[in-house]
Amino acid sequence: MRSMHFLPNSVEEIIDTYDEDIIITSREGKIIKVTQISGEHYGMKPSELLGKSVLDLQAQGIFSPAITPEVVEKKKKIVTVQMTPSGRKVLITGIPLFNDHREVEFVISYSYELSELIVMKEYLQDLETEMSKVKEELAHLRDQHIQISYLIMESHSSARAIKTALKMARLDVPIVIQGEHGVGKTSLAKFIHAQSNYSEGSFIEVNCGSIPESIFENAFTGQLDAKSQGYLALSSGGTLVLKEIDQLTIAAQAILFTLLNKQTTTRIIAISEMPLEELVHQGKFREDLFYLLHIASIALKPLRERPEDIEKAISFYLQTLNEKYQYNKKLTDDVYIHLLQLEWKGNFRELKNVIERIVIESETSLITFQDLPLQYQPLEGEQIGIELDGQSLPHILEFVERKVLLNTQKRYKTTTEMAHVLGISQPSVVRKLKKYSTSLDKENE
């Protein structure tokens, strides 16, 4: 074996490239290199460890026991549990580095608190279960197209998103889908997969924000144990969806960039609630990863800006839930119109939740305002009455818009305040007020 050249330039040198507790000692036990967090377990600063002897620190009860002497004696990797001065248990691993004469020249040791390892173990168990489920589904997914959940895309902005998705699906480029929580980003990713050249491959979803940083790389490469496969291997020839990519730390982003920059057999779709451009400007997202992923971008607007999609979703959820529970529930026209004008900040998930609650809890087949959860019931004077028979959707939506303007005008004095509440520009409020001026004046009298 060739000699390992780890000789330090000075005793004050610190390994800035590591975010782990790593200590390098000479064969005699002198500490010659440490990382930025070394000493935290023992109540010492990294600079206080440099130049010290682990034997002296052991005698002082700081290292109990020191691992270097055992590694030097047995010439192999040693794993043991140390007790810190504060009474915490630390799992420490010592690795020998040999010189040309097969003598131990240096010892590298790294440590973790046992509480951290328990969290990692629980995560690895959950990950192993998830990987097993994915493997069981792979054969089925390769034989037939993946089942796409219902995609509600009726509005003009949604039609543009679908058009872009279809175009990008046929190209071998990574895609970023951005939008608020619950707007249908994952459903759109499944649609892209089904329309792409990767449709015969697997569709793997990864919740990036839930993976501990300490095993982030292993989760993707499969180096958790000898039998495991990582996400990249499982998604090879298919689609890998990186959910909550905006929640990754800078360190995890660096690892992800290195891994993705090397692979060419998987379609990558990144999903983010925050616009990645803004995060780059704020210094919270790496530019190299942004440019690697941001070849094609699709932004999904919130549901409150997609009234046609709200109408479609209400009808679909009501029909689906009636079939599920073997009911024949219907909404009164007033309730239907009222639901169309709500903000739905939780988007599709919130809307589906409310529809399911009122279907289950309502006592009669006709759902009225009294069946709505209290926070969703209209205030006095805000109820909208309209007969839907024979009315087209544009007419209904125009009626709702006019009614919403009236209710807002009653509450707020200025068009600026109205614009802020409605989430539109002040000139748009002025233009809409002018459009409905006659009817609004009559109803305000």
Side-chain angles (χ1 to χ4, degrees):
M1 177 182 288
R2 299 183 64 185
S3 61
M4 307 295 291
H5 299 286
F6 272 87
L7 294 176
N9 293 325
S10 75
V11 295
E12 296 162 347
E13 183 177 356
I14 293 180
I15 310 171
D16 292 324
T17 56
Y18 289 94
D19 193 23
E20 303 287 349
D21 184 3
I22 299 175
I23 295 176
I24 301 179
T25 63
S26 66
R27 59 178 291 105
E28 295 79 20
K30 180 181 179 181
I31 299 175
I32 57 176
K33 290 176 185 272
V34 295
T35 60
Q36 299 180 49
I37 66 170
S38 294
E40 285 186 2
H41 297 318
Y42 313 105
M44 299 180 68
K45 297 178 180 179
S47 58
E48 293 174 330
L49 291 174
L50 281 172
K52 297 290 195 305
S53 166
V54 296
L55 298 177
D56 292 340
L57 294 172
Q58 178 179 258
Q60 298 169 23
I62 295 175
F63 290 166
S64 182
I67 200 170
T68 297
E70 188 175 1
V71 174
V72 172
E73 177 186 353
K74 296 182 178 179
K75 296 184 177 182
K76 66 177 184 178
K77 182 174 75 172
I78 300 296
V79 180
T80 188
V81 175
Q82 283 185 344
M83 186 70 71
T84 69
S86 63
R88 293 184 298 182
K89 292 182 178 180
V90 175
L91 186 71
I92 183 167
T93 301
I95 301 175
L97 294 177
F98 298 94
N99 58 23
D100 291 336
H101 304 292
R102 290 296 298 167
E103 296 175 343
V104 177
E105 191 75 22
F106 303 101
V107 175
I108 296 180
S109 62
Y110 55 93
S111 60
Y112 294 96
E113 263 196 79
L114 289 182
S115 58
E116 296 175 358
L117 293 175
I118 292 174
V119 173
M120 289 171 61
K121 181 181 178 181
E122 291 175 350
Y123 176 81
L124 290 175
Q125 290 173 340
D126 293 341
L127 183 62
E128 184 178 353
T129 301
E130 181 182 348
M131 292 297 189
S132 297
K133 292 179 180 178
V134 170
K135 290 176 184 178
E136 291 173 2
E137 296 172 355
L138 283 182
H140 175 71
L141 294 176
R142 294 187 191 283
D143 291 337
Q144 59 183 165
H145 293 293
I146 193 169
Q147 178 68 34
I148 300 177
S149 59
Y150 193 84
L151 200 60
I152 299 173
M153 295 283 185
E154 300 290 326
S155 67
H156 181 63
S157 66
S158 298
R160 289 203 311 270
I162 285 290
K163 183 178 180 181
T164 303
L166 279 170
K167 181 179 179 181
M168 294 302 108
R170 300 184 180 100
L171 303 175
D172 293 335
V173 295
I175 298 173
V176 175
I177 303 177
Q178 184 268 320
E180 291 182 4
H181 181 74
V183 294
K185 299 187 293 296
T186 301
S187 294
L188 186 60
K190 291 179 180 179
F191 175 80
I192 292 171
H193 171 77
Q195 303 299 320
S196 72
N197 297 328
Y198 298 91
S199 60
E200 298 296 331
S202 57
F203 182 88
I204 307 296
E205 298 177 55
V206 182
N207 227 334
C208 293
S210 67
I211 304 177
E213 188 175 296
S214 55
I215 58 172
F216 187 84
E217 182 174 358
N218 289 338
F220 282 85
T221 60
Q223 297 172 357
L224 300 171
D225 56 60
K227 298 180 180 179
S228 67
Q229 283 185 288
Y231 290 123
L232 288 174
L234 288 171
S235 60
S236 180
T239 300
L240 179 61
V241 180
L242 304 173
K243 303 174 72 172
E244 295 187 1
I245 196 167
D246 50 330
Q247 300 298 315
L248 288 179
T249 63
I250 293 295
Q253 291 173 32
I255 294 171
L256 186 61
F257 172 77
T258 301
L259 295 175
L260 297 184
N261 202 33
K262 295 178 181 178
Q263 72 83 33
T264 57
T265 62
T266 301
R267 150 68 62 78
I268 303 297
I269 299 179
I271 288 181
S272 170
E273 290 191 19
M274 290 289 294
L276 296 185
E277 299 96 324
E278 291 184 13
L279 296 179
V280 171
H281 293 321
Q282 296 171 13
K284 297 179 180 178
F285 201 86
R286 290 174 61 102
E287 282 192 355
D288 52 6
L289 182 58
F290 172 80
Y291 291 126
L292 179 67
L293 295 174
H294 209 271
I295 304 299
S297 177
I298 302 174
L300 289 179
K301 289 189 175 183
L303 196 54
R304 57 186 171 274
E305 298 180 24
R306 297 155 55 183
E308 296 89 349
D309 292 345
I310 298 178
E311 186 272 339
K312 187 72 174 180
I314 292 173
S315 301
F316 173 71
Y317 293 146
L318 187 61
Q319 176 185 344
T320 303
L321 293 168
N322 273 328
E323 293 174 356
K324 177 180 179 180
Y325 297 110
Q326 298 182 348
Y327 288 154
N328 188 28
K329 300 290 181 76
K330 296 181 180 179
L331 304 175
T332 64
D333 292 349
D334 284 351
V335 170
Y336 175 76
I337 295 299
H338 176 66
L339 294 178
L340 283 177
Q341 68 167 318
L342 295 181
E343 291 189 0
W344 302 116
K345 293 182 178 179
N347 296 292
F348 285 110
R349 293 178 185 175
E350 180 186 7
L351 176 57
K352 182 181 180 182
N353 175 267
V354 171
I355 298 296
E356 187 160 16
R357 288 168 63 184
I358 60 180
V359 165
I360 293 175
E361 296 175 3
S362 58
E363 298 293 338
T364 64
S365 59
L366 194 62
I367 297 171
T368 66
F369 281 128
Q370 286 67 40
D371 296 314
L372 292 175
L374 288 177
Q375 65 269 37
Y376 293 94
Q377 293 183 10
L379 299 176
E380 186 177 353
E382 289 186 343
Q383 296 185 12
I384 298 176
I386 181 174
E387 295 295 331
L388 299 184
D389 291 341
Q391 304 290 345
S392 65
L393 179 60
H395 177 82
I396 294 170
L397 296 177
E398 184 174 289
F399 181 90
V400 172
E401 182 179 68
R402 182 175 62 85
K403 202 69 177 179
V404 170
L405 279 171
L406 172 63
N407 291 333
T408 307
Q409 194 177 41
K410 288 179 178 179
R411 287 191 185 186
Y412 302 96
K413 297 179 181 179
T414 68
T415 55
T416 301
E417 290 177 312
M418 291 176 64
H420 178 73
V421 171
L422 295 174
I424 59 178
S425 66
Q426 191 267 348
S428 294
V429 172
V430 174
R431 186 170 60 254
K432 291 178 184 296
L433 288 175
K434 184 177 181 181
K435 174 182 177 182
Y436 301 119
S437 59
T438 303
S439 56
L440 288 174
D441 288 342
K442 288 182 178 179
E443 294 189 44
N444 276 320
E445 289 178 355

